[in-house]
């Protein structure tokens, strides 16, 4: 009987496994601590992380690296048992950082302000998508009876930024909104103390 190489030397687990996980649950004090405790207990190290609270719901997305024997199901199960029963937990195997499938370019901030009415977010996002602008972060706040939409976006170097900037302002004016599209450094300089 001849032994094939794969039978003679079984495949070893990878030395490190990388996961991307998300958590959605009613907010309470200590949630981020509970999540990080679970990751740490599986000898994990958190890389990228984004956490916020939206309308009373804690939302979290993070990447973590673990020893090769840790599975996505093991992390998902531990997170689920560490949180409330209604928590929605997803863990995906993410063996390596994927190449970006969105255009690269400079980072800008798109901000609009006006009355809250149906279709506003759709109009803003449609304009940006139609001009090849990628939305990386999105936030909505109420301020003095108006709704402020703030998006951090990436605009390709290959497009005419001034034309997009003027078009954005005009399109938002048609909807009764004020619109601003500026480089993130300018936005920071004019909006931070």
């Amino acid at each position: 009987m001849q032994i094939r190489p794969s039978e003679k030397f079984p495949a070893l687990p990878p030395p490190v496994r990388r996961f991307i996980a998300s958590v959605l649950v009613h907010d309470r004090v200590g949630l981020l601590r509970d999540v990080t405790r679970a990751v740490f207990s599986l000898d994990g190290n958190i890389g990228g992380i984004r956490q916020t609270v939206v309308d009373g719901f804690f939302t979290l997305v993070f990447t973590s690296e673990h020893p090769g024997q840790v599975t996505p199901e093991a992390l998902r199960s531990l997170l689920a048992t560490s949180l409330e029963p209604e928590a929605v937990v997803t863990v995906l195997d993410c063996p390596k950082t994927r190449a970006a499938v969105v255009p690269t370019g400079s980072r800008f901030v798109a901000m609009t302000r006006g009355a809250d009415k149906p279709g506003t977010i759709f109009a803003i996002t449609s304009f940006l998508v139609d001009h090849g602008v990628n939305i990386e972060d999105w936030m909505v706040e109420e301020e003095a009876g108006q709704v402020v939409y703030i998006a951090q976006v990436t605009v390709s170097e290959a497009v005419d930024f001034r034309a997009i900037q003027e078009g954005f302002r005009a399109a938002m004016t048609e909807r009764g909104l004020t619109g601003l599209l500026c480089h993130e450094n300018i936005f920071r300089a004019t909006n931070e103390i």
Side-chain angles (χ1 to χ4, degrees), residues 136-185:
E136 294 183 13
D137 200 8
W138 184 270
M139 183 174 68
V140 179
E141 293 183 348
E142 277 196 53
E143 186 177 284
Q146 294 191 320
V147 179
V148 179
Y149 304 91
I150 302 173
Q152 190 173 37
V153 301
T154 300
V155 178
S156 170
E157 303 288 345
V159 300
D160 181 354
F161 172 72
R162 293 275 184 227
I164 293 174
Q165 187 180 41
E166 291 169 14
F168 183 72
R169 189 176 303 122
M172 295 306 104
T173 299
E174 287 176 16
R175 293 199 53 85
L177 302 167
T178 57
L180 168 73
L181 184 61
C182 64
H183 194 277
E184 69 178 347
N185 292 340

Side-chain angles (χ1 to χ4, degrees), residues 42-122:
L42 290 175
D43 296 323
N45 183 44
I46 292 178
I49 186 169
R50 179 61 63 115
Q51 185 266 313
T52 191
V53 175
V54 176
D55 285 345
F57 281 87
F58 170 93
T59 62
L60 171 69
V61 176
F62 66 92
T63 57
S64 60
E65 289 186 345
H66 299 266
Q69 70 274 16
V70 177
T71 64
E73 182 50 38
L75 179 57
R76 193 207 65 74
S77 178
L78 184 57
L79 287 169
T81 59
S82 301
L83 303 171
E84 287 70 6
E86 72 274 7
V88 178
V89 178
T90 303
V91 179
L92 302 175
D93 215 346
C94 184
K96 60 183 174 185
T97 303
R98 294 183 178 194
V101 293
V102 295
T104 58
S106 297
R107 291 175 69 163
F108 291 82
V109 173
M111 184 174 82
T112 60
R113 178 187 311 264
D116 185 19
K117 51 188 169 183
T120 300
I121 295 174
F122 177 70

Side-chain angles (χ1 to χ4, degrees), residues 1 4 19 25 35 48 94 104 136 178:
M1 178 174 137
R4 286 180 259 165
F19 306 128
V25 65
V35 168
C94 184
T104 58
E136 294 183 13
T178 57

